[in-house]
Amino acid sequence: MLMKRRDFLKVGAAASAMASLYGCAGGGKASGHVVVVGGGYGGATVAKYLRMWSEGGVQVTLIERNPSFISCPISNLVIGGQKTMEDITVSYDGLKSKWGVRVIQDEVAAVNAEKKTISLKSGSSLSYDRLVLSPGVDFMWDEIPALKSADAQGKILHAWKAGPQTVALRKQLEDLKDGGTYAISIPKAPYRCPPGPYERACLVANYFKQSKPKSKVVILDANEDVMSKKGLFTKAWSDLYKGIIEYRNNSEVKDVEVASNTAILEFDKFKADVLNIIPPHRAGDIAHKSGIKLINNRWVDVNWLSMESTSTPGIHILGDAIFPAPTMPKSGHMANQHGKLAAAAILNQLAGHEPNPNPVVMNTCYSFVDSKNVIHVSSVHQYDAATKTVQPVKGAGGVSAARNELEGKVALGWAKNIWADMLA
Amino acid sequence: MKLFAPIAALCLLAAASSAQAADPNLGRNLAATCANCHGTNGNAVKGAGIDALSGMPKDKTLQKLADFKSGDKPASIMHQIAKGYTDEQLDLIATYFAAQK
Ligand SMILES: Cc1cc2nc3c(=O)[nH]c(=O)nc-3n(C[C@H](O)[C@H](O)[C@H](O)COP(=O)(O)OP(=O)(O)OC[C@H]3O[C@@H](n4cnc5c(N)ncnc54)[C@H](O)[C@@H]3O)c2cc1C
């Protein structure tokens, strides 16, 4: 008996549903439109990998407010004087011309999960089959009330998003007279890039040692102890920067006096010539306000098989904005890995299959302790069905044996390769 | 529905024979976790100082990874990374890179 076309379609759908039920792919090919918000470490990666792995079958639109990508990794070397902004800036042209990603420079103002649309600041709106948010972090200015105004933020910098603030902080350090004090404050964990503030302290101290030897670096850490690579950082401080770097733990900044560059701590005050405050942060605004489930009202709760919101299927969240799995840092390397996990899951889902049940992600963070010597921390995380999250593999990962110049070269090679992996 | 029972059975068989092989793109997905340093599909950026893995014969890749795991091959980081993957996973990764141009 010949099947009517309608019946054929019905049966086809049943077969594909069955195939997906049993985790057996084959047949269905992914198609549809994916909108990605944010062209940073997570967003650029997912955009490229969706196009590459679907061989152009899936349409991808990337919305990014900045005209080009500026990397936070390596930006501490701009602040330290070894690199320029040009060295850490990459164009979106590769995503457009090589991979056929539609890149729109605009800001996403709102998400409508029910209608599956987003609206742009410029006024237009777009519809999607699946949405990916990789907006990074935004700062909780309420926690440092005097820093709420734009004027105050222009004077007391964070430089925790690479861009104009990176240049401005470098300028403040260049203008500092010898014998001055630079203080950097670190918020309570979790925050973006656990070793980043300690790396910055090293590179500023390295600059002072060479150009302003009477100047000092003070680290005001809200945490009980050094949060990453403790032994290697403290050794660098005592070997290389004795008398320059002073580390103070349990020193949470509660507010500032803008006019006098003073940090207000719980029981104490600290006046610096250059005050660099990293305020506590949370998931980027667009993720924070789109009604998806948050943990501690700060970070997005995700399903580790697909990076999908646990409350709102069809919306995938990557990078710094998510509530991390156990021991997982907020890093660019990890955001890139989230992007690939999500790309694989989305392509399965668009083809009517279940996501890969055994995802793996891994991390590495390289930190410069001077212009040439680097230390790393690494970890590998495998999905564990019992806890429904990715767990660090025991016995794998670790830190450098000692700071070394070889890894100084690898760290710069890492940057070139990850930028190409996202954008070229 | 009867018509489709064999397909389902086939799928079940594939899934049961190896939990790791459940997703046909598992090798691709696992190899992508190496790309941050070794380049997309193992095509490292030339002159960046990290080895390319694309086109490397499978046995050669597996031998190097085994030597990293055992400590026979000294490394700054690969010993720590290789230990995070099972031998089956490394096999899939090496197979994938060997097939890349
Ligand atoms: C000083 C410093 C050093 C670091 N060093 C390292 C390192 O060595 N290694 C490492 O792995 N990590 C490092 N990191 C961490 C790394 O930068 C972050 O973890 C990473 O950027 C997170 O990626 P993401 O995609 O979540 O966010 P981002 O890379 O910040 O990307 C978010 C993007 O979204 C855009 N965006 C946000 N909202 C909207 C909107 N509504 N509409 C349009 N666009 C929007 C933003 O403009 C931005 O481009 C460092 C961070 C800092 C600050």
Side-chain angles (χ1 to χ4, degrees):
Chain A
M1 196 183 86
L2 281 172
M3 259 194 246
K4 279 194 232 125
R5 188 178 139 75
R6 213 178 45 218
D7 293 340
F8 177 77
L9 283 177
K10 265 194 222 147
V11 170
S16 112
M18 195 179 284
S20 88
L21 194 66
Y22 293 107
C24 177
K29 222 176 165 267
S31 64
H33 181 217
V34 180
V35 171
V36 180
V37 181
Y41 275 86
T45 306
V46 75
K48 167 173 160 177
Y49 273 75
L50 281 168
R51 293 288 297 164
M52 184 173 79
W53 282 345
S54 75
E55 295 172 345
V58 169
Q59 301 305 309
V60 178
T61 305
L62 174 69
I63 320 243
E64 165 59 52
R65 61 161 80 93
N66 293 323
S68 38
F69 167 77
I70 304 179
S71 176
C72 285
I74 313 296
S75 72
N76 281 335
L77 288 173
V78 177
I79 290 162
Q82 289 82 13
K83 295 274 176 196
T84 64
M85 289 305 281
E86 206 189 341
D87 295 324
I88 62 167
T89 303
V90 187
S91 130
Y92 287 111
D93 286 352
L95 280 185
K96 293 184 211 167
S97 60
K98 186 165 174 199
W99 297 107
V101 174
R102 178 161 67 134
V103 181
I104 299 178
Q105 190 189 339
D106 206 327
E107 187 165 305
V108 177
V111 173
N112 186 329
E114 246 154 60
K115 288 194 179 145
K116 293 195 168 184
T117 58
I118 54 150
S119 52
L120 302 180
K121 206 175 163 189
S122 65
S124 51
S125 73
L126 287 172
S127 63
Y128 61 81
D129 295 309
R130 289 195 167 260
L131 178 67
V132 183
L133 304 176
S134 192
V137 295
D138 276 304
F139 299 110
M140 298 158 74
W141 297 112
D142 285 347
E143 307 278 311
I144 322 266
L147 273 185
K148 276 191 202 166
S149 77
D151 272 1
Q153 289 172 26
K155 181 167 187 250
I156 296 180
L157 307 171
H158 53 80
W160 218 239
K161 294 183 181 187
Q165 288 240 340
T166 313
V167 179
L169 181 56
R170 174 64 193 168
K171 177 87 174 39
Q172 288 187 351
L173 293 167
E174 281 173 356
D175 292 346
L176 179 80
K177 60 181 189 326
D178 192 11
T181 302
Y182 161 81
I184 179 169
S185 81
I186 308 173
K188 281 205 174 115
Y191 58 89
R192 152 177 283 188
C193 193
Y198 310 110
E199 176 188 60
R200 182 175 291 175
C202 287
L203 290 169
V204 172
N206 180 64
Y207 169 60
F208 286 171
K209 197 173 160 179
Q210 278 157 15
S211 306
K212 301 178 179 176
K214 286 184 283 195
S215 310
K216 301 259 177 292
V217 172
V218 175
I219 305 171
L220 301 172
D221 196 337
N223 298 288
E224 267 172 37
D225 208 342
V226 179
M227 297 309 290
S228 177
K229 298 180 250 195
K230 181 186 171 195
L232 292 162
F233 273 121
T234 51
K235 185 153 172 25
W237 298 342
S238 62
D239 291 355
L240 306 173
Y241 307 118
K242 212 173 180 75
I244 300 179
I245 293 185
E246 182 194 331
Y247 176 75
R248 299 189 184 183
N249 68 343
N250 294 325
S251 298
E252 185 170 19
V253 173
K254 301 281 191 188
D255 206 351
V256 292
E257 286 166 16
V258 180
S260 61
N261 260 348
T262 301
I264 302 170
L265 313 175
E266 199 174 4
F267 304 112
D268 207 357
K269 284 186 177 184
F270 190 86
K271 185 174 171 353
D273 298 292
V274 174
L275 186 57
N276 178 190
I277 300 280
I278 306 171
H281 30 284
R282 53 160 173 76
D285 286 340
I286 192 67
H288 199 254
K289 71 181 183 193
S290 37
I292 55 186
K293 186 184 169 201
L294 301 172
I295 293 184
N296 302 330
N297 195 30
R298 281 178 81 176
W299 311 109
V300 181
D301 192 27
V302 295
N303 173 342
W304 282 99
L305 292 176
S306 60
M307 306 301 300
E308 258 172 306
S309 155
T310 54
S311 64
T312 317
I315 303 186
H316 305 249
I317 306 89
L318 316 176
D320 289 355
I322 64 158
F323 185 79
T327 76
M328 179 181 282
K330 295 191 179 298
S331 76
H333 193 108
M334 188 48 82
N336 166 294
Q337 302 263 321
H338 294 165
K340 293 162 182 172
L341 196 169
I346 289 169
L347 294 178
N348 279 15
Q349 290 168 318
L350 288 175
H353 306 306
E354 292 294 320
N356 167 20
N358 303 96
V360 180
V361 291
M362 61 89 53
N363 184 63
T364 305
C365 286
Y366 288 106
S367 303
F368 284 82
V369 294
D370 62 23
S371 58
K372 290 202 169 74
N373 283 282
V374 158
I375 57 181
H376 82 252
V377 57
S378 68
S379 53
V380 181
H381 308 248
Q382 299 249 5
Y383 187 76
D384 171 52
T387 52
K388 293 193 173 167
T389 183
V390 289
Q391 295 282 1
V393 179
K394 291 198 185 77
V399 298
S400 305
R403 64 173 183 272
N404 66 90
E405 291 196 12
L406 177 82
E407 288 194 282
K409 297 202 176 75
V410 176
L412 297 174
W414 167 86
K416 290 213 173 101
N417 276 295
I418 195 170
W419 296 340
D421 192 37
M422 303 158 56
L423 294 157
Chain B
M1 285 313 284
K2 224 180 171 175
L3 200 67
F4 293 94
I7 297 176
L10 215 73
C11 289
L12 271 176
L13 209 72
S17 69
S18 157
Q20 297 294 352
D23 191 302
N25 292 310
L26 193 57
R28 178 201 73 180
N29 295 351
L30 289 165
T33 68
C34 316
N36 304 38
C37 294
H38 290 285
T40 305
N41 292 325
N43 292 301
V45 172
K46 290 204 175 66
I50 305 182
D51 296 308
L53 301 177
S54 53
M56 191 184 280
K58 179 179 169 178
D59 290 352
K60 194 173 158 194
T61 309
L62 283 178
Q63 188 58 51
K64 287 184 194 245
L65 290 167
D67 291 348
F68 285 134
K69 264 196 183 181
S70 69
D72 286 350
K73 190 169 159 70
S76 63
I77 194 165
M78 277 310 300
H79 55 307
Q80 298 172 351
I81 295 174
K83 285 177 196 157
Y85 296 79
T86 65
D87 290 342
E88 294 74 40
Q89 289 173 333
L90 293 179
D91 196 280
L92 285 167
I93 292 172
T95 306
Y96 183 84
F97 282 130
Q100 301 304 306
K101 280 189 232 76

